[in-house]
Amino acid sequence: MCEVPRAKEAKLDPPSRTFERRALRIPLRSSITLEADLCLPAASRGIVLFAHGSGSSRFSPRNRQVAESLNEAKLATLLVDLLTSDEEAVDERTRELRFDIDMLADRLVGLTDWLCDYEPAAGLRIGYFGASTGAGAALVAAAQRPDAVHAVVSRGGRPDLAGPALERVRAPTLLIVGGNDGPVIDMNWQALAVLRGEKRLSLVPGATHLFEEPEALGAVSKLARDWFRDHLDPSRSTKK
């Protein structure tokens, strides 16, 4: 049983029949507090924790578009700033913290443990959605919490940054890469060969690294939605 401090929270808007949204300040054991936005659809079938990429935040429009698609599929989402505001200021100058995969993974582990005791999400299966460098951190964290993390999706990710942790990942993992993102495609094929559990690599035709092309991000959202529904929703995963 996880024992972690309770988060301070404020509702962003009144509860509706469809979604409940909360702004959270989540304290971790490392004596830091992270800002997060939670969306809980009615009768949620699972929850997805987002690990943002280099230089990004919980306000990433791309990740928010994916999160909205998951919410429509009755999957809760937790978008978190993995760096504090002071750390973000340092990272803007040095660009070092965004590549500190071990630190970012440790924070994802802390957030995962926190979710174990967070009553509104109690009992929901947890998945990770990692973008760019955040995908490397998500895979490291998944390797450290094999019993808690039930699925991982990487968007334009750098799974190679997970290093030897890749071999220990047991969560079903989907790697999504733009069809025109040459070097990253190679990195993902190499990572796919190392992963030992259920795995898949999906190329989005014509898309580049940020999936800015028309309909590219929509394709990402559909792939991620289907993967998480299959592995987080107990009514679907038990039929596999």
Side-chain angles (χ1 to χ4, degrees), residues 155-157 175-186 188-189 201-213 216-217 219-220 223:
R155 172 182 64 80
L175 306 176
I176 306 173
V177 190
N180 292 347
D181 195 6
V184 176
I185 293 175
D186 293 339
N188 277 261
W189 277 120
L201 190 151
S202 293
L203 297 178
V204 177
T208 51
H209 188 61
L210 295 179
F211 297 89
E212 295 175 307
E213 295 75 19
L217 202 55
V220 171
L223 288 165

Side-chain angles (χ1 to χ4, degrees), residues 180-200:
N180 292 347
D181 195 6
V184 176
I185 293 175
D186 293 339
M187 294 173 187
N188 277 261
W189 277 120
Q190 292 168 16
L192 191 77
V194 176
L195 288 165
R196 295 184 175 181
E198 182 181 349
K199 57 189 178 180
R200 183 185 304 166

Side-chain angles (χ1 to χ4, degrees), residues 101-110 112-113 128 136-149 162 165-166 168-171:
I101 301 301
D102 288 339
M103 179 196 72
L104 298 175
D106 184 66
R107 293 185 179 181
L108 284 171
V109 168
T112 302
D113 291 346
Y128 289 158
L139 287 163
V140 173
Q144 294 181 28
R145 289 294 184 270
D147 295 330
V149 181
L166 273 176
R168 303 194 303 275
V169 175
R170 294 295 174 264

Side-chain angles (χ1 to χ4, degrees), residues 110-173:
L111 291 163
T112 302
D113 291 346
W114 172 82
L115 276 174
C116 293
D117 281 346
Y118 186 58
E119 186 174 349
L124 295 179
R125 292 183 176 183
I126 299 171
Y128 289 158
F129 182 93
S132 189
T133 54
L139 287 163
V140 173
Q144 294 181 28
R145 289 294 184 270
D147 295 330
V149 181
H150 292 266
V152 178
V153 173
S154 163
R155 172 182 64 80
R158 290 288 308 277
D160 56 299
L161 295 177
L166 273 176
E167 294 184 358
R168 303 194 303 275
V169 175
R170 294 295 174 264
T173 300

Side-chain angles (χ1 to χ4, degrees), residues 42-54:
S44 295
R45 305 295 179 84
I47 184 165
V48 178
L49 173 55
F50 279 67
H52 304 292
S54 56

